[in-house]
Amino acid sequence: MMRTRESATHGEVVLDIRDLKVAFAAGDTAKLAVKGLDLQVKAGEVVALVGESGSGKSVTSLSTMGLLPPNAMVSGSVEVTGHQVIGLPEERMRKLRATEIAMVFQEPMTALNPVLTVEQQLTEALETHNLAFGQAARDRAISLLERVGIPDAAKRIKQYPHQFSGGQRQRIVIAMALTCEPKVIIADEPTTALDVTVQADVLDLLRELKDDLGVGILLITHNMGVVADMADRVSVMFMGDLVEEGTVQDILYRPQHPYTQALLAAVPRLTDVALTHDDEAGRLEAERVAAAAAADREVVLSAKNIAIDYKVKSGVFRAAEGVSFDVAAGETTALVGESGSGKSTVAKAVLGLLPTAEGELRVQGRDLARLKGKEAKLARRAIGVVFQDPAASLDPRFPIGDCIMEPMVVHKVGSKADRVARAKELLAAVKLPADVLNRYPHELSGGQKQRVGIARALVLDPTVLIADEPTSALDVSVQATVLEMLKEIQADFGFACLFVSHDLAVVDHLADNVVVMKRGQVVEQGPTEQVLHFPQEDYTKELLAAAPVPDPDAQKVRREARHRLLGMGAS
């Protein structure tokens, strides 16, 4: 039989942090990561804790869960529903987790056990905390999956995590957090790994849980659009200090601290989008400007009706079909769409990593599909690539200089002195000092690693650059710096850029043209001003409505427009 628990009264303080200090011992020294933090979360409200990497956000969340490593030295007070967490024995802390406080992690696939069914993972917490057993626990697990929007929950509960999509996995993680009816949920970057439409669905779900169950949510994020969409109050952290706090309107409309102002200034914004009306005059003007810009273009990458197949056990799966677009020198064309839309598949085909089943894919007039041996290798020299994860794309055993020069070694370009000179030239172009050549990847920040990735992509002077989500792993201010640098370098080097992204604000900032993909096909394409600001297709409008903006009032309008497009009604 399932035991029900009493929920917190709306407005009651469920998480109370007072003068929290956290330091980490490192040899004979200690690094102070959190410097006297005060923060409260009440039942039925969302408090957003924002700041860049290293600001102390995640250390604060781990403190509330009692999950800090052994070398952490903690002082101050952290109370969860009246229970003091600091100094609490592990056995008693384990009872608090799930029953009073639970956590939703950033990456759902690492938060779920791949060798256990969803049923086993959901019922484990209920049985561990003596809340339900057997069929009662299974029924509770099914109702939780239904609550978070998993279709056909009674059948799918027997499946494993890999059999669900990314958005469904995140919903399962939220269901796990709710198993024991906690009064506090810590949501640590819960939507970072998700597409904009799936992100919007997960945020809708969290909003429902807050309203219906009265759960207090501490939302940790660097996405100011998510803050505008979800938060009641905002706390801003910088280098371990709480530098500003207030209502979401106060922080996003009237920031006082220079760091908050700089953080908001760095956020790319997608505004003036015609979702709720048809701006015929604006659309015609955008078309006129686009036609004038298209008059003098040097096309270097051209795809005409390409199709791409994957071999699977049952035969062949067509991942993309009838895809056509072109990219000119000095221009950026963005491929956008949800996961599974085919955008990364198309990018891999351009790189020569996947064969095309139909159509023509030409770089500088040469059809890549028909080239063999030395000709194919020579054609691919003209294509550079910047990967999504800057840390994973650099070999940790090699100094930065070797990482940058590796393509020149592979293609036997230049002498050793020529290669070093080229590497130094490109480091200067990406605004890094020459002494970085002798440093190793682990000695650089995320933004510096991505700059190195861009330098390496340019080392053979490519005519086409493929950039696959190159800023999604970066903080907002670092992202802004890298995007501006990409624009400057493109102006200097004149390459054509194929930019793969799900961040439509970044696309609006960087791209000249946009290709919108859905289920392997192009649904809309054209100049950025036309496609992102005067969309014609409902799918494009849904993508745009799902992209959160750092403006609470505008975000509410956009959320209501999305619900109308989906037939959900305004909320």
Side-chain angles (χ1 to χ4, degrees):
M1 185 174 176
M2 179 71 202
R3 198 177 90 210
T4 58
R5 301 178 63 248
E6 194 175 306
S7 59
T9 306
H10 193 87
E12 174 190 345
V13 175
V14 289
L15 175 62
D16 193 2
I17 300 174
R18 303 282 182 181
D19 194 29
L20 176 67
K21 295 186 179 73
V22 183
F24 293 95
D28 297 329
T29 62
K31 179 176 174 57
L32 196 60
V34 178
K35 306 170 184 177
L37 177 72
D38 291 328
L39 185 147
Q40 288 186 330
V41 180
K42 298 175 182 177
E45 80 165 348
V46 176
V47 175
L49 187 60
V50 303
E52 296 176 289
S53 295
S55 62
K57 309 188 303 295
S58 293
V59 172
T60 299
S61 70
L62 293 173
S63 301
T64 64
M65 294 292 293
L67 294 174
L68 288 171
N71 68 327
M73 297 173 286
V74 189
S75 65
S77 170
V78 177
E79 290 191 0
V80 175
T81 61
H83 302 275
Q84 178 59 247
V85 169
I86 294 177
L88 196 67
E90 176 57 27
E91 186 178 340
R92 291 182 60 192
M93 187 67 227
R94 196 178 295 121
K95 290 181 180 178
L96 279 186
R97 293 187 201 118
T99 59
E100 301 295 332
I101 185 168
M103 195 160 186
V104 177
F105 294 95
Q106 178 175 351
E107 176 49 66
M109 201 56 191
T110 56
L112 295 168
N113 191 326
V115 300
L116 297 179
T117 65
V118 169
E119 178 181 358
Q120 289 172 307
Q121 296 183 64
L122 283 168
T123 56
E124 181 183 26
L126 292 167
E127 293 173 351
T128 298
H129 293 282
N130 298 317
L131 293 174
F133 298 91
Q135 187 60 41
R138 186 173 185 276
D139 290 344
R140 168 68 174 160
I142 292 171
S143 70
L144 281 169
L145 289 183
E146 291 171 342
R147 180 72 183 81
V148 298
I150 299 295
D152 206 9
K155 289 183 179 178
R156 300 208 69 186
I157 196 169
K158 294 289 187 183
Q159 294 181 335
Y160 291 86
H162 73 271
Q163 295 174 281
F164 294 83
S165 69
Q168 289 174 328
R169 287 196 288 263
Q170 192 62 292
R171 288 169 179 265
I172 293 167
V173 170
I174 293 171
M176 288 176 65
L178 293 172
T179 48
C180 301
E181 301 176 7
K183 295 171 184 174
V184 185
I185 290 179
I186 311 294
D188 188 359
E189 301 279 10
T191 62
T192 297
L194 306 177
D195 288 323
V196 286
T197 50
V198 181
Q199 172 180 270
D201 290 339
V202 169
L203 293 178
D204 282 342
L205 171 60
L206 287 172
R207 194 179 299 103
E208 284 178 28
L209 296 175
K210 177 198 76 162
D211 295 339
D212 296 350
L213 304 180
V215 177
I217 299 176
L218 179 61
L219 175 67
I220 296 171
T221 184
H222 66 264
N223 188 325
M224 290 300 184
V226 170
V227 171
D229 197 26
M230 282 292 297
D232 299 299
R233 293 188 294 115
V234 182
S235 297
V236 184
M237 288 192 76
F238 176 59
M239 297 182 70
D241 283 315
L242 186 66
V243 296
E244 188 167 2
E245 59 182 333
T247 66
V248 66
Q249 287 82 7
D250 286 340
I251 299 299
L252 295 188
Y253 290 146
R254 298 173 291 276
Q256 300 299 308
H257 195 276
Y259 175 71
T260 312
Q261 293 168 355
L263 205 60
L264 287 167
V267 177
R269 296 166 188 259
L270 180 57
T271 57
D272 301 323
V273 178
L275 292 174
T276 56
H277 63 284
D278 185 13
D279 186 347
E280 182 69 13
R283 184 176 63 81
L284 290 173
E285 174 61 15
E287 288 177 358
R288 186 191 67 77
V289 172
D296 185 24
R297 299 171 74 235
E298 180 195 343
V299 174
V300 293
L301 170 63
S302 173
K304 291 184 179 179
N305 294 316
I306 64 169
I308 303 164
D309 293 338
Y310 284 109
K311 291 182 180 179
V312 293
K313 283 185 179 180
S314 56
V316 174
F317 169 70
R318 179 142 289 186
E321 185 171 28
V323 177
S324 298
F325 62 89
D326 59 46
V327 192
E331 285 185 357
T332 296
T333 293
L335 295 178
V336 303
E338 298 171 285
S339 290
S341 64
K343 57 186 190 296
S344 291
T345 296
V346 170
K348 287 176 182 176
V350 176
L351 282 169
L353 299 177
L354 290 173
T356 53
E358 294 175 9
E360 293 182 354
L361 186 57
R362 294 181 177 274
V363 175
Q364 293 182 308
R366 293 179 294 182
D367 191 349
L368 291 179
R370 302 191 178 195
L371 298 179
K372 306 289 182 185
K374 289 183 179 180
E375 279 192 325
K377 187 175 181 180
L378 191 65
R380 289 185 185 120
R381 262 186 59 178
I383 304 171
V385 59
V386 182
F387 296 99
Q388 180 173 355
D389 187 341
S393 67
L394 299 175
D395 193 320
R397 301 168 300 168
F398 292 167
I400 295 301
D402 288 0
C403 292
I404 294 174
M405 293 183 288
E406 185 179 15
M408 298 183 77
V409 174
V410 169
H411 289 277
K412 299 177 182 177
V413 174
S415 64
K416 186 173 182 180
D418 292 335
R419 294 167 188 167
V420 171
R422 178 65 171 161
K424 288 181 178 178
E425 176 192 342
L426 288 168
L427 283 177
V430 298
K431 298 179 174 60
L432 288 175
D435 63 8
V436 168
L437 280 178
N438 300 315
R439 293 161 69 181
Y440 284 83
H442 73 271
E443 298 178 78
L444 304 184
S445 68
Q448 288 173 323
K449 288 174 191 171
Q450 196 59 294
R451 289 170 185 236
V452 170
I454 293 168
R456 181 181 57 185
L458 297 175
V459 74
L460 294 174
D461 197 17
T463 54
V464 177
L465 181 72
I466 311 294
D468 188 1
E469 301 275 12
T471 61
S472 64
L474 305 178
D475 284 324
V476 62
S477 60
V478 179
Q479 171 183 267
T481 304
V482 170
L483 289 174
E484 283 303 317
M485 188 197 65
L486 261 176
K487 290 177 78 172
E488 289 175 17
I489 289 176
Q490 187 179 39
D492 292 340
F493 288 76
F495 54 79
C497 181
L498 185 63
F499 187 79
V500 180
S501 182
H502 68 264
D503 190 328
L504 299 181
V506 167
V507 169
D508 188 43
H509 179 74
L510 192 68
D512 301 288
N513 301 290
V514 178
V515 179
V516 182
M517 296 191 66
K518 179 183 181 182
R519 295 177 184 171
Q521 296 184 326
V522 175
V523 296
E524 186 168 2
Q525 65 177 303
T528 303
E529 178 66 22
Q530 192 175 319
V531 174
L532 295 191
H533 296 272
F534 306 101
Q536 301 303 298
E537 298 295 324
D538 283 346
Y539 178 70
T540 310
K541 291 179 181 179
E542 288 170 22
L543 283 179
L544 288 161
V549 291
D551 180 321
D553 295 335
Q555 179 55 29
K556 184 180 179 183
V557 171
R558 196 170 284 197
R559 183 169 67 244
E560 291 171 351
R562 174 176 176 270
H563 289 174
R564 280 194 293 274
L565 284 165
L566 296 175
M568 297 165 62
S571 66

